[in-house]
Amino acid sequence: MQEKLITIEIDENGNSSVDLEGFHGQGCGDVAKDFRGGDAVTQSSKKREFYAQAAAVKQSQQRT
Amino acid sequence: MSQYEELKTTMTDQQYLVEALTEMGFNPEVQTDGAALKGYGGVTWSRPVQVIIPREQLRGALAPIGFGRDETGVFQAVIDDLDRQYGGLDAVWLGRVAQSYKERQTMAVAKTKGYIFRGREVVQTPQGPKVQLRFAVR
C-alpha cells in the first residue's frame, strides 16, 4: 500500500503550502485542517487522487 | 536622523519567535510586561515590545530590534529605518525570521497530531531558499 506523504513547503517569506501524495477523498481536507489549525499552512491544493475519488462518488450517486 | 518603523508580520506565538531568532544566532531578551525601545540619538518607540534583540547582537546596527504585540495579539517588528535601508534588517531579513518561525510551528503541529517526520530539504530558488518538510501518516 502506498505510504501517505505530506510535504509542507515554506517560502522565503514564511508562507506555506501543503502537498499530499497517496491521499484519497476527505483525507486531504483532514490533513490540511490539521496544519491550518495551527496557522502553519496558508495554502493547500488537492491532487489528482482527490478528484478521482470525488468523481467516483458522483458517478455512484448518479446511478442510485 | 533615524526613526523606528513598524513592519507587519503574522507571527503570534512568542515561543516560536524566540526559537526562530535563536536559531538565527541571536539571544533575544523576553520582556513579559513589555518594554520601550531606545535607539541611536535618543530615538525611542514608546509602544511596548515583548521580544528584543539588543543592538550589540546586530552587527553595525544603530538600534535594537523589537517585536511587540498589536491589539489583536500579532507580533509586529519594530526596526530602525536606517538599519532597514542600509543594515540589511529589511523585509528579506524579516522573511527569514518568519520562515524559521513557520518551520518551528509546523514541526510542533506535526508532532502534536502524530505525523511521522520523514525529512527536511532546503531548495534554492531565485526568490530565496524554500524549506520542505516531509511527514508520513501513522
Side-chain angles (χ1 to χ4, degrees):
Chain A
M1 189 179 167
Q2 187 187 2
E3 187 176 45
K4 294 177 179 176
L5 285 173
I6 304 156
T7 303
I8 308 285
E9 186 172 270
I10 307 167
D11 73 12
E12 67 285 355
N13 295 314
N15 299 313
S16 58
S17 58
V18 63
D19 188 67
L20 305 175
E21 289 173 47
F23 284 82
H24 299 278
Q26 192 51 43
C28 300
D30 292 342
V31 170
K33 195 175 158 189
D34 279 349
F35 285 97
R36 207 179 277 130
D39 192 31
V41 167
T42 46
Q43 282 178 26
S44 62
S45 58
K46 295 179 173 68
K47 298 205 85 164
R48 199 170 41 205
E49 290 95 330
F50 174 85
Y51 294 106
Q53 179 83 5
V57 170
K58 198 174 174 185
Q59 279 181 2
S60 168
Q61 284 171 345
Q62 282 170 347
R63 275 195 213 107
T64 56
Chain B
M1 187 165 169
S2 68
Q3 61 179 5
Y4 269 122
E5 289 180 347
E6 192 174 70
L7 279 77
K8 292 206 171 302
T9 88
T10 58
M11 298 181 281
T12 55
D13 193 301
Q14 184 172 289
Q15 183 192 333
Y16 303 140
L17 172 59
V18 169
E19 285 178 9
L21 294 172
T22 302
E23 195 265 342
M24 291 171 72
F26 302 110
N27 183 20
E29 295 173 359
V30 175
Q31 301 279 350
T32 309
D33 296 328
L37 278 179
K38 203 169 196 177
Y40 177 72
V43 174
T44 57
W45 181 264
S46 56
R47 270 220 316 265
V49 294
Q50 287 77 37
V51 179
I52 299 171
I53 306 174
R55 181 185 166 204
E56 307 79 62
Q57 297 179 26
L58 300 160
R59 199 181 306 165
L62 295 173
I65 287 177
F67 291 86
R69 287 189 190 277
D70 66 15
E71 57 281 358
T72 64
V74 178
F75 280 106
Q76 306 303 343
V78 182
I79 302 177
D80 184 283
D81 67 336
L82 292 181
D83 288 338
R84 188 175 59 78
Q85 287 177 57
Y86 305 109
L89 301 170
D90 52 10
V92 174
W93 179 85
L94 196 56
R96 286 211 306 274
V97 176
Q99 186 181 45
S100 183
Y101 171 98
K102 190 72 81 174
E103 184 174 347
R104 265 130 205 90
Q105 187 186 41
T106 302
M107 291 298 291
V109 168
K111 191 176 177 185
T112 303
K113 299 287 182 181
Y115 294 107
I116 304 159
F117 181 59
R118 282 279 187 257
R120 175 186 188 271
E121 199 177 337
V122 178
V123 180
Q124 297 297 334
T125 74
Q127 292 76 35
K130 288 185 197 292
V131 175
Q132 290 184 342
L133 301 172
R134 291 205 171 77
F135 304 96
V137 175
R138 203 178 290 277

